[in-house]
Amino acid sequence: MGLKETSKFLSLILRHKPEVIGISLDEHGWANVDEVIKGINKTKEFNMDILEEIVRTDNKQRYSFNEDKTLIRANQGHSIPVDVELDVVEPPEYLWHGTGEKYVSSINEQGLLPKSRLYVHISGDRETAYDVGRRHGKAVIYKVLSGKMQKDGYIFYRSKNGVWLTKNVPVEYLEMEGDE
């Protein structure tokens, strides 16, 4: 199993199913590093060097260690209820959400919903949103009227890797921009 596949497996463990390797996360999403290594090592070669390389080289900065590297967690994207201790942050006037064309009718009816995640993930710039949208087919970009949402009482968070998070985005705060 290559580093990319191992990273995906780590993501599954730390975001969705820690029980697949027989561990649990604390209320803030932290897992004991020794237990993670031991659990993954049951089925594939895995050690601290590999774990550190995954954390260091992950281009989306999905993971964080605590100060002494005894604990690790995913920064966001959980489907299990954890509090990753996000700070409330005032958003800029606009944020962007990239998606695939196949989701447009649902979004136009219901707005942005977290689905299986705890929060809706929003990008700080249009280019990143476009890249996210392309992963789902033909990209469609929505401008999120985040400044207006915040004035209307919606709360925004920003994860350690720069992704903007909020519970939902109602239709009236979305403007569809189409694709490139």
Side-chain angles (χ1 to χ4, degrees):
M1 180 178 277
L3 203 61
K4 186 174 181 177
E5 290 79 19
T6 304
S7 179
K8 284 183 175 185
F9 188 53
L10 183 64
S11 179
L12 172 77
I13 293 163
L14 295 179
R15 288 174 158 179
H16 311 293
K17 296 182 176 180
E19 68 276 7
V20 299
I21 62 163
I23 67 165
S24 57
L25 308 179
D26 75 9
E27 69 272 19
H28 299 297
W30 292 107
N32 178 292
V33 168
D34 291 339
E35 290 177 8
V36 170
I37 292 170
K38 199 162 80 178
I40 294 175
N41 211 18
K42 287 177 189 169
T43 55
K44 53 190 83 27
E45 186 181 338
F46 194 73
N47 56 41
M48 186 63 171
D49 291 339
I50 295 169
L51 182 59
E52 286 179 319
E53 186 176 351
I54 288 171
V55 173
R56 186 179 61 253
T57 61
D58 187 83
N59 63 341
K60 293 184 184 174
Q61 299 177 295
R62 288 180 184 94
Y63 316 106
S64 295
F65 283 115
N66 67 341
E67 226 169 88
D68 64 2
K69 293 189 178 178
T70 57
L71 301 173
I72 188 170
R73 73 177 172 194
N75 289 322
Q76 95 275 324
H78 300 82
S79 62
I80 53 178
V82 296
D83 171 13
V84 290
E85 305 165 293
L86 297 165
D87 293 327
V88 175
V89 179
E90 184 174 333
E93 198 61 32
Y94 303 110
L95 292 169
W96 286 265
H97 181 78
T99 191
E101 196 173 45
K102 60 188 169 194
Y103 300 115
V104 167
S105 63
S106 171
I107 291 170
N108 288 348
E109 284 175 25
Q110 302 174 28
L112 298 176
L113 302 172
K115 302 285 183 191
S116 64
R117 291 178 165 177
L118 300 179
Y119 299 100
V120 171
H121 291 205
I122 308 170
S123 303
D125 61 83
R126 194 176 188 287
E127 185 178 311
T128 302
Y130 180 74
D131 289 343
V132 170
R134 283 193 325 192
R135 285 190 239 140
H136 302 282
K138 186 176 179 188
V140 177
I141 309 299
Y142 284 91
K143 186 190 318 188
V144 177
L145 308 180
S146 43
K148 182 171 178 13
M149 281 182 70
Q150 198 252 343
K151 286 182 188 85
D152 291 347
Y154 288 84
I155 296 171
F156 286 82
Y157 307 93
R158 193 155 184 214
S159 70
K160 287 201 185 318
N161 59 351
V163 176
W164 288 88
L165 307 166
T166 192
K167 284 289 186 187
N168 68 308
V169 180
V171 175
E172 61 266 27
Y173 299 104
L174 292 171
E175 293 178 2
M176 192 165 72
E177 294 195 345
D179 65 3
E180 295 285 295

